[in-house]
Amino acid sequence: MKLRLIEENLVRQNKATMLLLILLEEEFSRLGQLKPQSVSQIELSIQELMRQIVAERYSLRKLIGGVDPEAQKVAELYPRMEEAMATKCQELIKRLDGIEQKCAIQAAKNNEMAMALFDQSKGLLDFMHNQIKPKNTSAYARSGRFAQAPSSARLLSGRM
């Protein structure tokens, strides 16, 4: 019975990782479309899905320990399984590993795109800030107010 639960756990993990890959690809698409609000929504979904995947991993470890306290991996349980179930578990683990690799590659692409957009935005803000910053560095007094430079038109203001 516990061996069947292990197989079902691997099936759920495969489906969750496939969904994770789809969400990562959607996040990349939205990053390219410059839609920050929708990227945030997808990111929250990704974080929740990853939390669920981690919970499945912990559950799998408990199931493995329940079958054989000495075992650490599903592969160590193959001798206890029927041949068909062992073959299916091997296939599920192989597929899971492949999807995880694709997820890692996609996550790296997403990170690179987000950092590039950040650098671009920061560069634009720095440029705009430099354009509005006063060119004369003595424009402000130590108190933070505009410095009162002596005017050359004192006679017009009534002073001598």
Side-chain angles (χ1 to χ4, degrees):
M1 180 64 182
K2 287 190 178 185
L3 294 174
R4 179 69 53 201
L5 293 175
I6 289 173
E7 180 184 355
E8 291 171 1
N9 185 293
L10 289 172
V11 168
R12 283 193 304 275
Q13 285 190 48
N14 266 288
K15 289 181 180 181
T17 345
M18 284 189 279
L19 178 59
L20 179 61
L21 180 60
I22 291 168
L23 288 174
L24 286 169
E25 289 170 346
E26 179 64 23
E27 181 184 38
F28 186 80
S29 170
R30 291 182 183 191
L31 280 168
Q33 296 170 358
L34 303 176
K35 295 181 177 178
Q37 292 297 331
S38 61
V39 170
S40 301
Q41 294 166 352
I42 290 284
E43 186 62 32
L44 291 174
S45 298
I46 289 171
Q47 295 300 321
E48 177 60 25
L49 182 58
M50 289 178 67
R51 187 195 63 74
Q52 292 173 7
I53 291 171
V54 168
E56 286 293 330
R57 294 277 165 96
Y58 282 127
S59 172
L60 180 63
R61 286 205 181 266
K62 284 183 181 179
L63 289 170
I64 292 170
V67 173
D68 182 0
E70 299 294 319
Q72 296 291 316
K73 300 178 182 179
V74 176
E76 296 173 15
L77 301 178
Y78 291 158
R80 295 176 178 242
M81 297 179 180
E82 297 174 11
E83 188 176 334
M85 182 183 287
T87 304
K88 184 163 185 181
C89 285
Q90 285 175 334
E91 179 184 308
L92 287 169
I93 290 172
K94 184 179 180 181
R95 190 179 322 150
L96 184 61
D97 186 50
I99 296 169
E100 285 177 353
Q101 295 299 320
K102 290 178 184 176
C103 285
I105 291 168
Q106 189 62 49
K109 286 180 184 178
N110 291 6
N111 182 49
E112 192 174 320
M113 173 76 92
M115 292 308 292
L117 291 171
F118 170 77
D119 290 342
Q120 181 183 32
S121 296
K122 186 175 180 332
L124 181 61
L125 284 173
D126 289 345
F127 172 77
M128 289 171 38
H129 180 72
N130 286 336
Q131 293 301 309
I132 61 171
K133 187 169 57 172
K135 303 297 183 232
N136 184 358
T137 57
S138 64
Y140 296 100
R142 290 182 196 196
S143 64
R145 299 176 187 230
F146 281 107
Q148 297 294 324
S151 165
S152 61
R154 287 186 183 162
L155 289 176
L156 294 177
S157 65
R159 290 187 283 171
M160 298 183 130

Coordinates of all heavy atoms in Angstrom, one line a residue, residues 2 4 16 18-19 31 34 41 48 50 60 63 82 85 90 93 100 113 118-119 141 144 149 151:
K2 N 1.9 1.3 0.9 CA 2.8 2.5 0.9 C 3.6 2.6 -0.4 O 3.9 3.8 -0.8 CB 3.7 2.4 2.1 CG 3.0 2.6 3.4 CD 4.0 2.8 4.6 CE 3.2 3.1 5.8 NZ 4.1 3.3 7.0
R4 N 2.4 2.0 -3.3 CA 1.5 2.7 -4.3 C 1.4 4.2 -4.0 O 1.4 5.0 -4.9 CB 0.1 2.0 -4.1 CG -1.0 2.6 -5.0 CD -0.8 2.3 -6.5 NE -0.6 0.9 -6.8 CZ -0.1 0.5 -7.9 NH1 0.3 1.3 -8.8 NH2 0.1 -0.8 -8.1
A16 N 3.0 18.7 -11.0 CA 3.3 20.0 -10.4 C 4.5 20.6 -11.0 O 4.5 21.9 -11.3 CB 3.5 19.8 -8.9
M18 N 5.6 20.1 -14.1 CA 5.2 20.5 -15.5 C 4.4 21.8 -15.4 O 4.6 22.7 -16.2 CB 4.3 19.4 -16.1 CG 5.1 18.3 -16.6 SD 4.2 17.1 -17.6 CE 3.3 16.2 -16.4
L19 N 3.5 22.0 -14.4 CA 2.8 23.2 -14.2 C 3.8 24.4 -13.9 O 3.6 25.5 -14.4 CB 1.7 23.1 -13.1 CG 0.9 24.3 -12.8 CD1 0.2 24.8 -14.0 CD2 -0.1 24.0 -11.7
L31 N 7.2 39.2 -18.7 CA 8.3 40.1 -18.5 C 8.7 40.8 -19.8 O 9.0 42.0 -19.9 CB 9.6 39.3 -18.0 CG 9.6 39.0 -16.5 CD1 10.7 38.0 -16.3 CD2 9.8 40.2 -15.7
L34 N 6.5 43.6 -20.6 CA 6.6 44.7 -19.7 C 5.3 45.0 -18.9 O 4.7 46.1 -18.8 CB 7.0 46.0 -20.4 CG 8.3 46.0 -21.2 CD1 8.6 47.3 -21.9 CD2 9.5 45.6 -20.2
Q41 N 1.5 38.6 -10.1 CA 0.5 37.6 -9.9 C 1.0 36.2 -10.2 O 0.8 35.3 -9.5 CB -0.7 37.9 -10.8 CG -1.4 39.2 -10.4 CD -2.4 39.7 -11.4 OE1 -2.5 39.1 -12.5 NE2 -3.2 40.7 -11.1
E48 N 3.6 29.7 -4.5 CA 2.7 28.8 -3.8 C 2.9 27.3 -4.4 O 2.9 26.4 -3.6 CB 1.3 29.2 -4.0 CG 0.2 28.3 -3.5 CD 0.3 28.0 -2.0 OE1 0.9 28.9 -1.2 OE2 -0.1 27.0 -1.5
M50 N 5.6 26.1 -5.6 CA 6.9 25.6 -5.1 C 6.7 25.1 -3.6 O 7.3 24.1 -3.2 CB 8.0 26.6 -5.2 CG 8.4 26.8 -6.7 SD 9.6 28.1 -6.9 CE 11.0 27.3 -6.1
L60 N 7.1 12.4 0.6 CA 7.7 11.3 0.0 C 8.8 10.7 0.9 O 8.9 9.5 1.0 CB 8.3 11.7 -1.4 CG 9.1 10.6 -2.2 CD1 8.1 9.5 -2.5 CD2 9.7 11.2 -3.4
L63 N 7.2 8.7 3.5 CA 6.7 7.4 2.9 C 7.8 6.4 2.8 O 7.7 5.2 3.1 CB 6.0 7.6 1.6 CG 4.6 8.3 1.7 CD1 4.1 8.7 0.3 CD2 3.6 7.4 2.4
E82 N 7.1 -4.5 -7.2 CA 6.9 -5.3 -8.4 C 7.7 -4.7 -9.5 O 7.9 -3.5 -9.5 CB 5.4 -5.4 -8.7 CG 4.6 -6.0 -7.6 CD 3.1 -5.9 -8.0 OE1 2.8 -5.5 -9.1 OE2 2.3 -6.2 -7.1
M85 N 6.0 -1.7 -11.2 CA 5.9 -0.5 -10.4 C 7.3 0.1 -10.3 O 7.5 1.3 -10.4 CB 5.4 -0.8 -9.0 CG 5.3 0.4 -8.2 SD 4.8 0.1 -6.5 CE 3.1 -0.3 -6.7
Q90 N 11.0 4.5 -11.9 CA 12.2 4.9 -12.5 C 11.9 5.9 -13.6 O 12.6 6.9 -13.8 CB 13.0 3.7 -13.1 CG 13.7 2.9 -12.1 CD 14.3 1.6 -12.7 OE1 13.8 1.1 -13.8 NE2 15.3 1.1 -12.1
I93 N 10.8 9.3 -12.1 CA 11.9 10.0 -11.5 C 12.8 10.6 -12.7 O 13.2 11.7 -12.6 CB 12.8 9.1 -10.6 CG1 11.9 8.8 -9.3 CG2 14.1 9.7 -10.3 CD1 12.6 7.8 -8.4
E100 N 12.7 19.2 -14.1 CA 13.3 20.1 -13.1 C 14.5 20.9 -13.8 O 14.7 22.1 -13.5 CB 13.9 19.4 -11.9 CG 12.8 19.0 -10.9 CD 13.3 18.1 -9.8 OE1 14.5 17.7 -9.8 OE2 12.5 17.9 -8.9
M113 N 16.3 38.2 -17.5 CA 15.4 39.2 -18.1 C 15.0 40.2 -17.1 O 15.0 41.4 -17.3 CB 14.1 38.5 -18.7 CG 13.1 39.5 -19.2 SD 13.5 40.3 -20.7 CE 12.7 39.2 -21.8
F118 N 15.6 45.7 -14.8 CA 16.0 46.5 -13.7 C 17.1 47.4 -14.0 O 17.0 48.6 -13.8 CB 16.4 45.6 -12.5 CG 17.0 46.3 -11.4 CD1 16.2 47.1 -10.5 CD2 18.4 46.3 -11.2 CE1 16.8 47.8 -9.5 CE2 18.9 47.0 -10.1 CZ 18.1 47.8 -9.3
D119 N 18.1 46.9 -14.7 CA 19.3 47.7 -15.1 C 18.9 48.8 -16.0 O 19.3 50.0 -15.9 CB 20.4 46.9 -15.7 CG 21.1 46.0 -14.7 OD1 21.0 46.2 -13.5 OD2 21.7 45.0 -15.1
A141 N 22.7 76.2 -0.2 CA 23.5 76.5 1.0 C 23.6 75.3 1.9 O 23.0 74.3 1.6 CB 22.9 77.7 1.8
G144 N 20.5 73.7 3.1 CA 19.6 73.0 2.2 C 18.7 73.9 1.4 O 17.9 73.5 0.6
A149 N 23.1 84.3 -3.7 CA 24.3 84.9 -4.4 C 24.1 86.4 -4.5 O 23.0 86.9 -4.7 CB 24.4 84.3 -5.8
S151 N 23.7 89.7 -6.0 CA 23.2 90.2 -7.3 C 24.0 91.4 -7.8 O 24.4 92.2 -7.0 CB 21.8 90.5 -7.1 OG 21.3 91.2 -8.2

